[in-house]
Amino acid sequence: MSLTNGSPEQAARAAKTSSRTLATLSTDARNVALDAIHHALADHREDILAANARDMDLAKQLSANGKLSASMMKRLDLSRKGKFDDMLQGIEDVRGLEDPVGRVDLRTELDDGLILQRQTCPIGVLLIIFEARPEVIANIASLAIKSANAAILKGGKESTESFKAISTVISQALDKTEVPNHSIQLVTTRDAIDPLLELSQYIDLVIPRGSSDLVRHCQRKAHMPVLGHADGLCSLYIHSDADKEMAVNVAVDSKTDYPAACNAIETLLINEEVLESIFPAVAAALIDKGVVLRCDPASKAASSKHLSEEQAVHVQDATDADWSVEHLDLILSVRTITASPDSTSAVDAAIEHINTHGSHHTDAILTADKATADRFCNAVDSGCKFWNCSTRFCDGMRFGFGTEVGISTNKVHARGPVGLEGLMIHEYRLAGQGQGAAMYGGGGRQYKHKRLPIA
Amino acid sequence: MSLTNGSPEQAARAAKTSSRTLATLSTDARNVALDAIHHALADHREDILAANARDMDLAKQLSANGKLSASMMKRLDLSRKGKFDDMLQGIEDVRGLEDPVGRVDLRTELDDGLILQRQTCPIGVLLIIFEARPEVIANIASLAIKSANAAILKGGKESTESFKAISTVISQALDKTEVPNHSIQLVTTRDAIDPLLELSQYIDLVIPRGSSDLVRHCQRKAHMPVLGHADGLCSLYIHSDADKEMAVNVAVDSKTDYPAACNAIETLLINEEVLESIFPAVAAALIDKGVVLRCDPASKAASSKHLSEEQAVHVQDATDADWSVEHLDLILSVRTITASPDSTSAVDAAIEHINTHGSHHTDAILTADKATADRFCNAVDSGCKFWNCSTRFCDGMRFGFGTEVGISTNKVHARGPVGLEGLMIHEYRLAGQGQGAAMYGGGGRQYKHKRLPIA
């Protein structure tokens, strides 16, 4: 890893060159580099924490002037109990994952002695833009080396001192390994981002991990594909046959487990048939957890009728804008779903709402009926469709991927929680004995196209 | 299918709406629609050929004025023997392919009664821009319906009458099926392309099938991903231990089987050790097939020494520009590969040339040594790496995919020849019994992450 002093183009070109070497390294060579980083960071814990303390000093000044939030301060602080060890453990965890490179997923005998093979290979050069948390740099460097991709990293400016210290340690550690030093480069100035986003001849994929503004900026400016999601506008639809206790539990978990997460729900869709039976219990439980409900007229009427006066204070009128807002806070839009006169069923009306207002991230239905759940899952245009469980399960670690690169709402390459697989593409290898295409068809030979077992 | 009279935005929005219905249709419903198209086109053969004759009349005038090439005339002509039947057969072939929708490729038990499943689903709305050949519209409409994607089609203006006739027939046929009419829309004006390329809220993927100028235009302008390749600058490297007869056969096939194809070679890299032994036979065979060689000094010297005077006329001096040119004609750049003094091996020098000048499409090596072939295949940054066979095998039909959407040099989503799979993305479905994320970790429960067999 190196701190980039050159131009964005020099950095990107060096990353591309390094990526070709990195792509040819063995599993062992890459794992050895991960071990080296792990040991070096452990050995230089004090230096790194000293650098982090300098970031914290500046942050405290900013915070005192109201220019930095308390939650940002907390995320910046690498000296908090367990945080440094978690960073080290994260490197070990990534090292322990199965090598994603060179996995064969198709083998076909095109003809005698003409064998086609499809296998995974690294994408090439990644540009990863992330927020202030200093430990993320170690995590991303690990993911890149494990997946044999070169990476250019740009972190939040509040962690500059920590990043520099960590990248210096990583750089020295890599120098003793086969991984080229320029495989991982740290960019420290924000000015570099826009020029980098134009260098599609060197950079193959951008992964912005941060605010929706950052993601949208990348989506608009990048000349290469962008992996991720700008918004997480997730909905939970409670159908007429849902279980009441399940509705309460899943709604509370989906909204309150971590309200600022992209997989928390922003909208509750409630079937009109259960407005008087299930909804009051759900509304009461949410309000008791501190949630403010922005209700349409029908759900507001049901609230007024069934909630205590104290609870009803937390019920507000929804405006049309609420159906398209990612609150990222303890606020929930509530809309009543009715079957329409033109024979659209209620589940179809819920699907229509979600496909119109949602962000194609994660949407859930609560229903006792599998056919209704299937209809919902088939028709909702989202990366993740959940039945009778919380939207909060949408997560790479919870899905068992071992790590998470991000959650994608893209329609190509990778969608939903993205693990190491999302950093890979495939290549075709064909091994023959001198065959030419003219030998086939008119040339008399016929293709066999016999599927072979994966070795 | 409908002829679009409305604005590009109206067309794209209608396609998006239709795509959601299309995505929920059964395999049978989509196959029935393909049958309906097949029968309707067969029934209206005469009307369509009459429309094609009108295109041909105009084309003949343009041709007489030198404004249209003979090969374009030939491609336009749907009345040529077998062409109409081939178009019909193509629809049947696509119908016969395995349904690409809903294929499960991952099942994980996250916990008791909490089952995660990953399955394929259509991408959504495709914008497919193609050249004049009138039969392509039927092929693309079939691929879209089979893969449950809506598609907006824009064909070359020379086939306008044929396209209109075919799309009218397809539209009438679809009206009697469950496939929404706006699933397939034909755009007839070139003006519509640029506005369509900006409508990323409705269109998910652009597939330009035509000139490199068209592809590059789409890559530059599109706000959504573009699948394809602008250039096919393929190389063949003949290593020092290559078999002479194989070298002659593979070089001739790779260059002359179809010189205008993207998978034909543009550059021959010849190891200096075989300049006097293998190269003269290869050069002579290529020249006898009508190829002009653009040689570097060393290969030119070897040519002069070994070729007949008559053959040597077809040897020219290469300029630096020749290493980066897609000739698409019977012209081949020839460069001598030498091991360098700084210990770079010859195969590494060949790899370096290919990664610097190639278009990451298809590159081949001829060598008797598997380790050398592996080194080449590991380090060359191309979608297809071939050992001891012709680059011309890079093709979806030859690879056994049953159809070909195009050949991609992209680094994400799909690379190499793309079959129906390239028109799919995956989605995650999670079915539970009321679980919430807070139950796990701090909540006491542990994830099982047990991989389940694919049902």
Side-chain angles (χ1 to χ4, degrees):
Chain A
M1 172 178 272
S2 52
L3 258 172
T4 297
N5 296 314
S7 70
E9 192 178 350
Q10 286 168 329
R13 198 180 327 114
K16 187 57 134 189
T17 305
S18 298
S19 78
R20 293 316 308 159
T21 303
L22 192 52
T24 65
L25 296 185
S26 67
T27 309
D28 274 354
R30 283 175 279 123
N31 282 343
V32 163
L34 292 176
D35 285 336
I37 291 174
H38 180 266
H39 296 319
L41 289 174
D43 289 347
H44 291 83
R45 184 190 290 249
E46 296 315 317
D47 305 344
I48 293 166
L49 289 179
N52 184 243
R54 293 196 292 277
D55 282 332
M56 288 299 290
D57 285 344
L58 192 60
K60 277 170 203 155
Q61 293 172 27
L62 290 170
S63 180
N65 298 332
K67 287 177 179 162
L68 201 76
S69 68
S71 68
M72 180 67 104
M73 283 278 288
K74 206 166 141 185
R75 279 184 283 159
L76 253 179
D77 187 0
L78 200 52
S79 69
R80 287 173 63 215
K81 191 165 182 294
K83 213 164 169 186
F84 202 95
D85 289 326
D86 284 351
M87 176 177 83
L88 295 177
Q89 185 58 46
I91 300 169
E92 287 291 274
D93 289 347
V94 168
R95 184 202 186 287
L97 294 173
E98 206 187 325
D99 188 0
V101 182
R103 285 193 207 167
V104 177
D105 67 353
L106 180 79
R107 287 184 75 232
T108 310
E109 188 180 81
L110 303 192
D111 191 9
D112 296 330
L114 189 62
I115 309 294
L116 178 71
Q117 183 163 306
R118 181 170 62 191
Q119 60 188 66
T120 57
C121 60
I123 287 174
V125 178
L126 315 174
L127 170 61
I128 306 180
I129 307 169
F130 53 104
E131 47 184 2
R133 288 186 301 150
E135 73 276 19
V136 169
I137 190 173
N139 172 251
I140 294 177
S142 311
L143 290 174
I145 292 170
K146 184 77 189 183
S147 64
N149 284 290
I152 298 174
L153 314 182
K154 167 73 183 79
K157 67 177 185 312
E158 296 81 2
S159 297
T160 300
E161 291 294 317
S162 312
F163 286 144
K164 283 183 180 171
I166 294 173
S167 73
T168 302
V169 171
I170 293 180
S171 179
Q172 287 165 358
L174 288 183
D175 268 344
K176 292 165 202 144
T177 75
E178 291 180 62
V179 170
N181 204 291
H182 285 92
S183 300
I184 313 285
Q185 292 177 73
L186 178 70
V187 166
T188 52
T189 57
R190 215 196 170 290
D191 297 352
I193 294 181
D194 282 1
L196 287 168
L197 290 175
E198 294 185 359
L199 295 169
S200 59
Q201 67 273 44
Y202 301 122
I203 298 173
D204 300 297
L205 183 66
V206 183
I207 308 180
R209 293 170 36 149
S211 70
S212 58
D213 284 346
L214 170 68
V215 177
R216 256 188 283 270
H217 179 82
C218 291
Q219 287 168 339
R220 227 176 14 242
K221 294 272 184 172
H223 293 204
M224 65 291 287
V226 178
L227 185 75
H229 67 277
D231 302 294
L233 208 162
C234 305
S235 297
L236 172 67
Y237 168 55
I238 301 177
H239 194 55
S240 52
D241 61 358
D243 179 81
K244 185 173 174 176
E245 190 189 336
M246 187 189 291
V248 169
N249 292 338
V250 171
V252 166
D253 192 85
S254 297
K255 183 64 211 176
T256 70
D257 183 49
Y258 185 12
C262 62
N263 58 11
I265 56 169
E266 307 297 345
T267 301
L268 178 71
L269 302 172
I270 182 88
N271 188 292
E272 63 170 343
E273 294 179 36
V274 292
L275 264 185
E276 307 274 340
S277 51
I278 296 178
F279 177 62
V282 171
L286 287 165
I287 289 169
D288 290 350
K289 285 279 190 176
V291 179
V292 167
L293 303 181
R294 297 256 176 93
C295 290
D296 69 343
S299 60
K300 183 147 191 237
S303 306
S304 310
K305 197 162 151 191
H306 294 277
L307 295 181
S308 70
E309 218 168 289
E310 198 184 343
Q311 287 168 331
V313 171
H314 303 283
V315 178
Q316 305 174 347
D317 289 318
T319 65
D320 276 353
D322 283 309
W323 313 133
S324 306
V325 165
E326 191 182 4
H327 303 294
L328 290 172
D329 201 349
L330 288 171
I331 303 168
L332 183 64
S333 309
V334 181
R335 186 171 199 172
T336 307
I337 295 295
T338 55
S340 71
D342 69 348
S343 86
T344 304
S345 68
V347 68
D348 285 343
I351 292 163
E352 173 72 20
H353 177 97
I354 290 169
N355 286 343
T356 305
H357 299 284
S359 69
H360 313 292
H361 188 295
T362 302
D363 299 285
I365 183 172
L366 302 183
T367 173
D369 180 44
K370 184 171 187 309
T372 302
D374 284 346
R375 179 160 190 88
F376 180 88
C377 291
N378 288 336
V380 165
D381 183 18
S382 298
C384 300
K385 298 103 175 262
F386 291 1
W387 174 29
N388 288 350
C389 57
S390 169
T391 55
R392 288 275 300 139
F393 286 111
C394 176
D395 172 274
M397 298 301 288
R398 288 168 188 172
F399 274 15
F401 298 164
T403 188
E404 184 182 281
V405 174
I407 294 177
S408 164
T409 54
N410 292 8
K411 285 302 196 74
V412 294
H413 189 66
R415 197 170 176 223
V418 181
L420 276 183
E421 244 179 284
L423 302 183
M424 311 307 292
I425 182 70
H426 55 254
E427 59 178 41
Y428 290 93
R429 297 189 177 194
L430 182 64
Q433 298 169 343
Q435 293 92 337
M439 295 174 177
Y440 295 81
R445 287 213 217 177
Q446 297 299 319
Y447 290 101
K448 290 188 167 176
H449 290 149
K450 182 179 161 197
R451 189 66 74 94
L452 299 177
I454 308 298
Chain B
M1 171 178 271
S2 53
L3 257 171
T4 298
N5 296 314
S7 71
E9 193 181 348
Q10 285 168 329
R13 197 181 326 118
K16 188 57 134 187
T17 305
S18 298
S19 77
R20 293 316 310 160
T21 303
L22 192 51
T24 64
L25 295 184
S26 67
T27 310
D28 274 355
R30 283 175 280 124
N31 283 342
V32 163
L34 292 176
D35 284 337
I37 291 174
H38 180 266
H39 295 321
L41 289 173
D43 289 348
H44 291 83
R45 183 190 290 250
E46 296 315 316
D47 305 343
I48 293 166
L49 289 178
N52 183 244
R54 294 195 294 277
D55 282 330
M56 288 298 291
D57 286 343
L58 192 61
K60 277 172 204 154
Q61 292 171 28
L62 290 170
S63 179
N65 299 332
K67 288 179 179 162
L68 201 76
S69 69
S71 69
M72 181 67 107
M73 285 277 288
K74 207 166 138 185
R75 280 183 283 160
L76 253 179
D77 187 0
L78 201 51
S79 69
R80 288 173 63 215
K81 191 165 181 294
K83 213 163 170 188
F84 202 96
D85 290 325
D86 285 349
M87 175 177 83
L88 294 178
Q89 185 57 46
I91 300 168
E92 288 291 274
D93 289 347
V94 168
R95 184 202 185 288
L97 294 173
E98 205 186 325
D99 188 358
V101 182
R103 285 193 207 167
V104 177
D105 68 353
L106 180 79
R107 286 183 75 231
T108 309
E109 188 180 79
L110 303 193
D111 190 9
D112 296 331
L114 188 61
I115 309 294
L116 178 71
Q117 182 163 308
R118 181 169 63 192
Q119 59 188 65
T120 57
C121 61
I123 287 175
V125 178
L126 315 174
L127 170 61
I128 306 180
I129 307 169
F130 54 103
E131 47 184 2
R133 288 186 300 151
E135 73 276 19
V136 169
I137 190 174
N139 172 250
I140 294 177
S142 310
L143 290 174
I145 292 169
K146 185 77 189 183
S147 64
N149 284 290
I152 298 174
L153 315 181
K154 167 72 182 78
K157 66 178 186 310
E158 297 80 2
S159 298
T160 301
E161 292 293 317
S162 312
F163 286 145
K164 284 182 179 171
I166 294 173
S167 73
T168 302
V169 170
I170 293 180
S171 178
Q172 286 165 357
L174 288 183
D175 269 344
K176 292 165 202 144
T177 75
E178 291 180 62
V179 171
N181 204 290
H182 285 92
S183 300
I184 312 286
Q185 293 178 73
L186 178 71
V187 164
T188 52
T189 58
R190 214 193 171 293
D191 297 350
I193 294 180
D194 283 359
L196 287 168
L197 290 175
E198 295 186 359
L199 295 168
S200 59
Q201 67 273 45
Y202 302 123
I203 298 172
D204 300 297
L205 183 67
V206 183
I207 307 180
R209 295 172 35 150
S211 70
S212 57
D213 284 345
L214 170 68
V215 177
R216 256 187 281 269
H217 179 82
C218 291
Q219 287 169 337
R220 227 174 14 242
K221 293 273 186 172
H223 293 204
M224 64 291 287
V226 179
L227 184 76
H229 67 277
D231 302 294
L233 209 161
C234 306
S235 297
L236 173 66
Y237 167 56
I238 301 177
H239 194 54
S240 52
D241 62 357
D243 178 82
K244 185 172 173 176
E245 191 188 336
M246 188 190 288
V248 169
N249 292 339
V250 171
V252 166
D253 192 86
S254 296
K255 184 65 210 176
T256 71
D257 183 49
Y258 185 11
C262 61
N263 57 11
I265 56 168
E266 306 297 346
T267 301
L268 179 70
L269 302 172
I270 181 88
N271 188 292
E272 63 171 342
E273 294 179 37
V274 292
L275 264 184
E276 306 274 341
S277 51
I278 297 178
F279 177 61
V282 171
L286 287 165
I287 289 169
D288 289 350
K289 285 280 191 175
V291 179
V292 169
L293 303 180
R294 298 255 176 94
C295 289
D296 68 346
S299 61
K300 184 146 190 236
S303 306
S304 309
K305 198 162 150 192
H306 294 278
L307 295 180
S308 71
E309 218 167 290
E310 199 182 342
Q311 287 169 329
V313 171
H314 303 283
V315 178
Q316 304 174 348
D317 290 318
T319 64
D320 276 354
D322 282 308
W323 313 133
S324 306
V325 165
E326 190 181 5
H327 303 295
L328 290 173
D329 201 350
L330 288 171
I331 302 168
L332 183 65
S333 309
V334 181
R335 186 169 200 174
T336 307
I337 295 296
T338 55
S340 72
D342 69 348
S343 87
T344 303
S345 69
V347 67
D348 284 345
I351 291 163
E352 174 70 20
H353 177 99
I354 291 169
N355 285 344
T356 306
H357 299 284
S359 68
H360 313 291
H361 188 294
T362 302
D363 299 285
I365 183 171
L366 303 183
T367 174
D369 180 44
K370 184 173 187 306
T372 303
D374 284 346
R375 179 158 190 90
F376 180 90
C377 290
N378 288 336
V380 165
D381 183 19
S382 299
C384 299
K385 298 103 175 261
F386 290 2
W387 173 30
N388 289 348
C389 57
S390 168
T391 56
R392 288 277 298 138
F393 286 111
C394 175
D395 172 273
M397 298 302 287
R398 288 169 188 171
F399 274 14
F401 298 163
T403 188
E404 184 182 280
V405 173
I407 294 177
S408 165
T409 54
N410 291 10
K411 284 304 194 72
V412 294
H413 188 65
R415 198 169 175 220
V418 181
L420 276 184
E421 246 179 282
L423 302 182
M424 311 307 292
I425 182 68
H426 56 254
E427 59 178 42
Y428 290 94
R429 297 187 179 196
L430 182 63
Q433 298 169 342
Q435 293 92 336
M439 295 176 178
Y440 296 81
R445 287 212 217 179
Q446 296 301 319
Y447 290 102
K448 292 188 165 178
H449 291 150
K450 182 179 161 196
R451 188 67 75 91
L452 300 177
I454 308 297

